[in-house]
């Protein structure tokens, strides 16, 4: 659009006292804006009205606000993003609150940020959203308690729901439970499941369609417009192949999806993934727990099925047990089996101990635990069980089991509270074996999975020689995505998500995981989880239909624009996207699915041809901003360093440094990126060619305990930096001039040391020889 730029400089919050605002006006006018105004209190009603009047009377359509952080006063400085470009220049938190007032370097910093902001605004254009009527149907994969809750909650809003259940009937594992944990005050007594009522409600609801004894054999498309192929189990055939042999023969490096002789195709707008859980395979626990070796050693799930089916009996002789020992963490919190805690096993054992006591008032239940975990209001249930004189809680370690001739088992316990060696004579032993997500195919171990996707590693002959490639296996969704048929996992098979900020969101936009497939949980939690995922799925469809990203940039209506005529089919964008947005045609040219996109810009950073850009965020924008930097001489401000910072953790960390009045060095200039995953190596070349002495990238933590809002952005930036040596060698510069730092938002207080340490490192290297050219 034809730009009419208005620059507005605020003097409040100490800005006017710390800076020469008249000189700031002079800098702004170098760019020939339509107007430049200074205001004493820009975020006041009067200040905002000045901007609105200029929009109305002067035709201003590009607004540069030099004031506070872009993270505050968002409602105050809110202008239609489809008509106007708004650029917030942070001279409060990032300048006057971290630098000494009326100082030459403070002024220099503020002026530089104003230059960068005006250039950013010049290179930005309003969003052009892709909008339209989308399919308002939620596909629910899995008909257990989480899936049923998801379908019912979606249907209550007026949406349609389709439930696909692989078993012959709905209900999942809860249908085979005698009791569930308490769900209402005073949270002291187990309850009878209401699963039959829930099943009836789903079957009778006019907005819900149910497929049992069926599975999803293919999903194509994107949020709002999925094509889902459903097939009866009777008509499904799955070709078993040795993937390594197939690749050796020249076949494709992918497992075949299931085939169906008589499918049905339906439309869906979003998907809720609730395929449930299975007990850990107790046959691996013969030692030290005796499963499979001693007849009267059973799992907690087997005991639950006994209780549901009419009574708890000893497998050896069918008698009612009088003394039962429950062994907690059987194979759990154990790197050799399940490295994690399943979170509900302690409560399950308490519930099942009550079964034992109810069956016989003289019976005894002994629970041997490492740690009792009964979070929240479940503590009331724990306390009520403690009051039962026949339930004995022993903190200890199992040192051995021995079977007597009559099937009785002597359980040897190292009692940690009494510091004694005890032997309990048990009629039965129950192992709390833990929960495994059904995302884990049979025959695969949760503690020995391939990274990112569950699959097999194959060796493949290429032009560069023999390379190893991960081939994901189909499990339940059978997505026709370039990156594979299922969702990525983080650990142990559970679907990857930003657990703290976006727990339901998987790495496939429009697909929301819930219930014990997502992480171990009880029935009540699974029901709430299913409802939450359904609401997120609805939100996805509604926001997508208006052209918005769903998360984390939920205000963003821009989309990546591809200049495919210049594409070299290098596949970096299709491989590196954390969310599987892009597919490929037969020539490896990217195929867009815009509604899958979360607008992180990782594809933009990956592309060596620089053909991927956004209206308000692009390669030329950042390069032009670098071109506007006023690089000082070595005798003025040395070393001069550019920082590329992510907007999610690093930018607010600098804000918090300002709020806490931490003093930061004046020789850094920060350029915010949507995510460090969008960091294109050309910017490093641009900055160093300009004479910048050093470059620091500051982003979110990555790895197993990642905090990156875009999952892999920081990790991708770090991997790209491994290739930066080529750029530096071409410029004949040292690799130590470029550094990346992981910064959690709560470690803002480390910023002074981080910046000063890097400045000292660059100082030892010396000035950039390109300075002054």
């Amino acid at each position: 659009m034809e730009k009419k730029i208005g620059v507005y400089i605020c003097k409040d919050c100490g800005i006017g006292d710390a800076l020469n605002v008249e000189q700031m006006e002079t800098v702004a006018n170098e760019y020939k804006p339509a107007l430049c105004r200074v205001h004493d209190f820009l975020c006041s009603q009067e200040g905002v009205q000045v901007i609105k009047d200029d929009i109305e009377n002067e035709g201003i359509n590009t607004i540069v606000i030099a004031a506070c952080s872009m993270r505050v006063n968002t409602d105050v400085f809110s202008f239609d993003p489809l008509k106007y470009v708004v650029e917030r220049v942070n001279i409060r938190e990032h300048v006057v609150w971290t630098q000494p007032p009326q100082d030459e370097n403070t002024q220099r910093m503020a002026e530089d940020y104003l230059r960068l902001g005006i250039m950013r605004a010049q290179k930005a254009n309003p969003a052009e959203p892709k909008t339209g009527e989308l399919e308002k149907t939620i596909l629910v994969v899995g008909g257990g308690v989480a899936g049923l809750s998801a379908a019912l909650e979606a249907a209550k809003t007026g949406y349609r729901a389709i439930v696909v259940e692989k078993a012959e009937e709905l209900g999942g594992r809860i249908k085979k439970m005698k009791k569930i944990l308490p769900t209402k005050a005073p949270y002291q007594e187990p309850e009878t499941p209401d699963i039959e009522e829930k099943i009836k409600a789903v079957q009778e609801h006019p907005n819900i369609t149910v497929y049992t004894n069926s599975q999803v054999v293919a999903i194509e498309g994107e949020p709002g417009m999925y094509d889902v192929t459903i097939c009866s189990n009777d008509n499904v055939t799955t070709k078993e192949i040795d993937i390594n042999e197939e690749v050796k023969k020249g076949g494709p490096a992918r497992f075949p999806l299931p085939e169906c002789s008589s499918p049905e195709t339906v439309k869906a707008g979003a998907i809720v993934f609730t395929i449930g859980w299975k007990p850990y395979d107790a046959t691996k626990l013969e030692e030290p727990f005796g499963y499979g070796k001693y007849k009267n050693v059973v799992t907690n799930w087997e005991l639950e099925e006994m209780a549901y089916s009419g009574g708890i009996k000893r497998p050896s002789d069918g008698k009612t047990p009088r003394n039962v020992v429950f062994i907690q963490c059987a194979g759990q919190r154990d790197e050799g089996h399940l490295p994690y805690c399943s979170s509900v096993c302690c409560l399950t054992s308490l519930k099942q101990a009550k079964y034992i006591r109810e069956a016989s008032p003289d019976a005894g239940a002994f629970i041997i635990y490492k740690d009792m975990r009964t979070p929240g209001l479940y503590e009331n249930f724990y306390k009520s069980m403690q009051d039962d004189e026949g339930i004995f809680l022993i903190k200890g370690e199992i040192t051995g089991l021995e079977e007597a001739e009559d099937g009785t088992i002597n359980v040897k316990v190292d009692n940690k509270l009494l510091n004694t060696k005890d032997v309990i004579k048990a009629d039965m032993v129950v192992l709390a074996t833990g929960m495994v997500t059904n995302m884990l195919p049979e025959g695969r171990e949760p503690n020995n999975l391939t990274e990112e996707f569950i699959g097999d590693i194959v060796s493949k002959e290429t032009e560069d020689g023999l390379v190893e490639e991960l081939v994901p296996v189909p499990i339940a969704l059978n997505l026709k995505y370039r990156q594979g048929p299922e969702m990525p996992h983080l650990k142990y098979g559970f679907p990857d998500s930003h657990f703290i900020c976006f727990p339901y969101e998987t790495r496939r936009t429009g697909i929301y995981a819930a219930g014990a497939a997502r992480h171990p949980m009880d029935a009540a939690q699974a029901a709430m989880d299913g409802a939450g995922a359904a609401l997120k799925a609805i939100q996805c469809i509604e926001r997508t239909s208006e052209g918005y990203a769903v998360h984390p940039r939920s205000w963003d209506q821009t989309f990546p624009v591809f200049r495919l005529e210049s594409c070299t089919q290098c596949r970096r964008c299709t491989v590196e996207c954390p969310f599987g947005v892009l597919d490929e045609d037969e020539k490896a040219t990217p195929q867009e699915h815009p509604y899958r996109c979360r607008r992180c810009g990782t594809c933009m950073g990956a592309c060596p041809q620089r053909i991927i850009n956004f209206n308000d965020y692009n390669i030329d924008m950042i390069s032009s901003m670098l071109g506007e930097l006023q690089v000082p001489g070595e005798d003025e401000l040395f070393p001069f360093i550019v920082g590329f910072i992510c907007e999610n953790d690093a930018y607010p960390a600098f804000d918090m440094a300002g709020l806490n009045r931490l003093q930061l060095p004046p020789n850094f200039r920060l350029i915010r990126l949507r995510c460090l995953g969008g960091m294109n190596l050309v910017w490093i070349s641009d900055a160093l060619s300009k004479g910048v002495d050093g470059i620091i990238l500051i982003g979110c933590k990555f790895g197993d305990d990642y905090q990156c809002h875009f999952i892999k952005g920081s990790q991708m930036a770090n991997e790209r930096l491994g290739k930066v040596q080529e750029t530096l060698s071409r410029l004949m510069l040292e690799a130590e001039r470029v550094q990346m730092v992981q910064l959690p938002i709560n470690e803002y207080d480390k910023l002074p040391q981080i910046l000063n340490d890097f400045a000292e490192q660059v100082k030892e290297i010396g000035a950039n020889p390109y300075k002054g050219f």
Side-chain angles (χ1 to χ4, degrees):
M1 67 181 185
E2 182 182 348
K3 294 290 181 73
K4 292 201 70 174
I5 299 177
V7 179
Y8 301 88
I9 303 171
C10 181
K11 293 174 64 177
D12 197 29
C13 302
I15 296 172
D17 297 329
L19 300 176
N20 181 339
V21 177
E22 290 182 359
Q23 181 59 29
M24 296 280 287
E25 282 188 273
T26 301
V27 169
N29 286 320
E30 292 173 2
Y31 292 86
K32 297 182 170 51
L35 53 85
C36 177
R37 301 192 192 279
V38 175
H39 197 279
D40 289 335
F41 187 10
L42 193 59
C43 64
S44 65
Q45 186 174 347
E46 294 81 4
V48 174
Q49 191 59 47
V50 168
I51 301 175
K52 291 180 177 178
D53 289 345
D54 287 342
I55 291 172
E56 179 70 25
N57 302 324
E58 305 295 335
I60 296 299
N61 57 18
T62 303
I63 304 155
V64 178
I65 298 171
C68 49
S69 167
M70 68 172 191
R71 296 176 63 87
V72 299
N73 288 323
T74 54
D75 55 336
V76 174
F77 298 122
S78 177
F79 302 94
D80 188 344
L82 304 186
K83 294 181 179 178
Y84 309 106
V85 170
V86 179
E87 177 59 27
R88 302 282 299 275
V89 180
N90 190 341
I91 58 173
R92 186 180 73 172
E93 288 87 344
H94 290 191
V95 182
V96 303
W97 284 1
T98 61
Q99 305 296 322
Q102 296 299 327
D103 181 87
E104 178 185 0
N105 287 329
T106 303
Q107 184 72 23
R108 189 196 301 266
M109 179 185 280
E111 291 175 9
D112 269 349
Y113 280 141
L114 187 57
R115 291 185 180 97
L116 296 181
I118 294 173
M119 180 51 65
R120 189 170 199 134
Q122 286 182 348
K123 294 291 182 177
N125 282 297
E128 297 178 12
K130 302 175 190 292
T131 61
E133 275 296 316
L134 301 181
E135 179 62 45
K136 294 193 173 184
T137 298
I138 308 297
L139 171 69
V140 181
V141 183
V145 63
L148 297 175
S149 296
L152 283 170
E153 294 303 319
K156 288 175 185 177
T157 69
Y159 268 64
R160 294 179 296 277
I162 296 172
V163 180
V164 180
E165 170 54 49
K166 198 169 186 178
E168 293 186 356
E169 59 181 10
L170 298 173
R173 290 190 178 272
I174 192 175
K175 194 174 172 64
K176 296 180 180 179
M177 291 183 182
K178 178 182 179 181
K179 298 276 187 178
I180 61 171
L181 297 173
T183 63
K184 53 183 177 292
Y187 294 90
Q188 293 179 345
E189 294 293 328
E191 300 172 7
T192 301
D194 64 350
I195 192 68
E196 294 296 343
E197 292 90 335
K198 196 164 292 233
I199 291 171
K200 186 175 184 224
V202 164
Q203 291 173 331
E204 293 180 352
H205 202 292
N207 284 356
I208 301 176
T209 303
V210 176
Y211 295 83
T212 54
N213 190 38
S214 300
Q215 56 187 287
V216 173
V217 295
I219 296 176
E220 297 181 72
E222 57 194 291
M225 48 184 72
Y226 289 112
D227 291 315
V228 182
T229 304
I230 302 171
C231 187
S232 166
N233 293 339
D234 302 329
N235 298 324
V236 175
T237 56
T238 303
K239 184 180 179 182
E240 299 291 338
I241 65 168
D242 183 323
I243 190 66
N244 276 288
E245 288 300 318
E246 286 292 317
V247 171
K248 284 179 184 176
K249 294 175 186 175
R254 63 176 178 269
F255 286 97
L257 297 180
E259 296 180 355
C260 184
S261 59
S262 179
E264 182 173 348
T265 300
V266 298
K267 300 284 187 182
I271 300 165
V272 177
F273 181 78
T274 58
I275 64 172
W277 65 281
K278 57 194 167 194
Y280 181 67
D281 183 2
T283 60
K284 299 179 175 65
L285 302 175
E286 180 175 332
E287 296 296 337
F289 300 117
Y291 187 87
K293 182 178 180 182
Y294 305 137
K295 289 183 179 178
N296 294 324
V297 176
V298 300
T299 68
N300 49 3
W301 178 250
E302 289 169 342
L303 187 84
E304 192 68 38
E305 288 185 305
M306 287 184 205
Y308 173 78
S309 300
I312 298 171
K313 307 293 183 184
R314 293 205 326 167
S316 63
D317 55 19
K319 293 180 180 179
T320 301
R322 293 176 63 82
N323 283 335
V324 178
V325 170
F326 294 85
I327 299 177
Q328 299 309 105
C329 299
Q332 298 185 70
R333 302 166 69 186
D334 180 342
E335 292 298 327
H337 297 284
L338 281 187
Y340 55 87
C341 168
S342 293
S343 74
V344 297
C345 301
C346 293
L347 288 159
T348 298
S349 292
L350 290 169
K351 177 189 75 170
Q352 292 178 342
K354 191 172 180 64
Y355 295 167
I356 303 299
R357 295 283 293 134
E358 289 174 343
S360 172
D362 298 326
F366 301 80
I367 299 177
I368 316 299
Y369 66 90
K370 292 180 181 178
D371 304 283
M372 288 299 290
R373 296 183 172 180
T374 56
L377 291 168
Y378 286 137
E379 188 76 7
N380 293 351
F381 179 49
Y382 176 33
K383 288 178 179 177
S384 72
M385 294 300 98
Q386 285 178 310
D387 292 338
D388 188 317
E389 61 183 14
I391 295 177
F392 305 92
L393 301 165
I394 303 169
K395 183 177 178 66
E397 295 284 345
I398 303 299
T399 58
L401 279 73
E402 293 179 353
E403 186 179 51
E405 290 184 5
D406 64 352
T408 301
I409 297 169
N410 294 318
V411 181
K412 298 178 181 179
V413 183
D414 182 1
N415 191 315
K416 299 296 185 181
L417 292 180
L418 301 179
N419 197 25
T420 58
K421 308 296 183 184
D422 302 332
V423 177
I424 304 172
K425 188 175 181 180
D427 297 319
M428 277 180 66
V429 172
V430 182
L431 304 180
T433 51
M435 303 169 74
V436 177
T437 175
N438 276 335
M439 263 191 76
L440 196 69
E442 295 299 331
R444 299 192 184 249
E445 300 297 322
N447 61 344
N448 188 29
L449 296 174
T450 48
E451 291 186 7
E452 193 166 11
F453 292 93
I454 300 170
D456 291 340
I457 301 293
V458 301
S459 297
K460 188 177 180 181
E461 193 68 49
T462 69
E463 294 177 358
D464 301 319
L466 201 63
V467 298
E468 289 190 334
E469 181 178 343
L470 170 61
V471 183
V473 296
I475 301 167
L477 291 175
N478 297 303
L479 302 167
K480 290 191 173 181
Y481 281 32
R482 184 256 182 259
Q483 289 187 5
E486 301 296 332
M487 298 180 292
H489 77 107
L490 179 59
K491 264 189 165 184
Y492 317 128
F494 294 106
D496 193 2
S497 73
H498 193 296
F499 193 84
I500 302 301
C501 297
F502 314 110
Y504 298 114
E505 284 86 345
T506 68
R507 283 176 52 189
R508 294 296 174 258
T509 307
I511 303 178
Y512 299 88
R518 185 168 77 83
H519 72 78
M521 62 181 69
D522 63 41
Q525 291 171 319
M528 289 188 290
D529 219 44
L535 295 176
K536 292 300 292 185
I538 291 169
Q539 181 189 57
C540 171
I541 296 171
E542 294 294 330
R543 298 293 284 171
T544 299
S545 70
E546 298 172 358
Y548 288 100
V550 287
H551 47 81
R553 294 180 59 85
S554 55
W555 66 90
D556 195 344
Q557 291 180 284
T558 63
F559 287 84
V561 178
F562 292 75
R563 193 162 43 84
L564 292 177
E565 65 272 13
S566 299
C567 177
T568 60
Q569 291 79 36
C570 72
R571 297 182 170 176
R572 290 182 190 171
C573 60
T574 61
V575 171
E576 293 188 17
C577 174
F579 309 108
V581 169
L582 301 168
D583 291 333
E584 295 171 1
D585 65 14
E586 63 281 356
K587 295 180 180 178
T589 301
Q591 291 183 313
E592 299 177 60
H593 294 282
Y595 289 155
R596 295 183 193 171
C597 181
R598 299 197 192 171
R599 290 40 160 209
C600 61
T602 297
C603 55
M604 186 177 89
C607 181
Q609 296 298 105
R610 291 165 277 177
I611 67 168
I612 307 172
N613 293 284
F614 295 79
N615 274 18
D616 64 348
Y617 182 57
N618 52 69
I619 302 289
D620 179 50
M621 169 188 285
I622 307 299
S623 292
S624 298
M625 291 169 69
L626 291 168
E628 290 303 303
L629 284 174
Q630 304 297 299
V631 179
E634 188 176 354
D635 57 343
E636 297 178 273
L637 189 63
F638 173 76
F640 189 71
I641 298 170
V642 166
F644 292 99
I645 64 173
C646 87
E647 69 182 15
N648 294 301
D649 270 21
Y651 188 98
F654 276 95
D655 279 359
M656 292 173 73
L659 287 166
N660 288 276
R661 304 304 197 268
L662 300 184
Q663 288 296 294
L664 302 180
N667 51 331
F668 285 76
R669 300 295 181 266
L670 307 177
I671 295 178
R672 78 175 187 277
L673 306 180
R674 292 184 178 183
C675 173
L676 282 196
M679 179 72 200
N680 196 293
L681 295 184
V682 72
W683 297 331
I684 292 178
S685 178
D686 290 342
L688 294 173
S689 299
K690 179 76 174 176
V692 167
D693 298 302
I695 297 171
I696 188 169
L697 280 65
I698 307 179
C700 310
K701 284 184 65 178
F702 57 85
D704 288 345
D705 190 27
Y706 70 81
Q707 296 177 12
C708 177
H709 284 55
F710 293 107
I711 314 296
K712 293 185 68 180
S714 286
Q715 180 181 329
M716 297 309 308
N718 189 59
E719 291 176 6
R720 285 187 204 134
L721 279 191
K723 307 169 188 173
V724 79
Q725 186 58 53
E726 180 184 339
T727 299
L728 296 171
S729 297
R730 189 171 66 250
L731 296 170
M732 293 182 290
L733 294 172
E734 301 81 0
E736 292 76 18
R737 291 186 185 275
V738 182
Q739 178 177 306
M740 179 172 171
V741 174
Q742 301 175 54
L743 182 72
I745 190 172
N746 62 331
E747 295 182 5
Y748 68 89
D749 57 318
K750 294 182 179 179
L751 279 172
Q753 182 177 350
I754 289 170
L755 301 184
N756 284 318
D757 286 351
F758 183 61
E760 285 301 315
Q761 177 178 311
V762 175
K763 191 179 292 185
E764 289 179 10
I765 299 171
N768 184 340
Y770 290 90
K771 194 182 292 287
F773 279 81

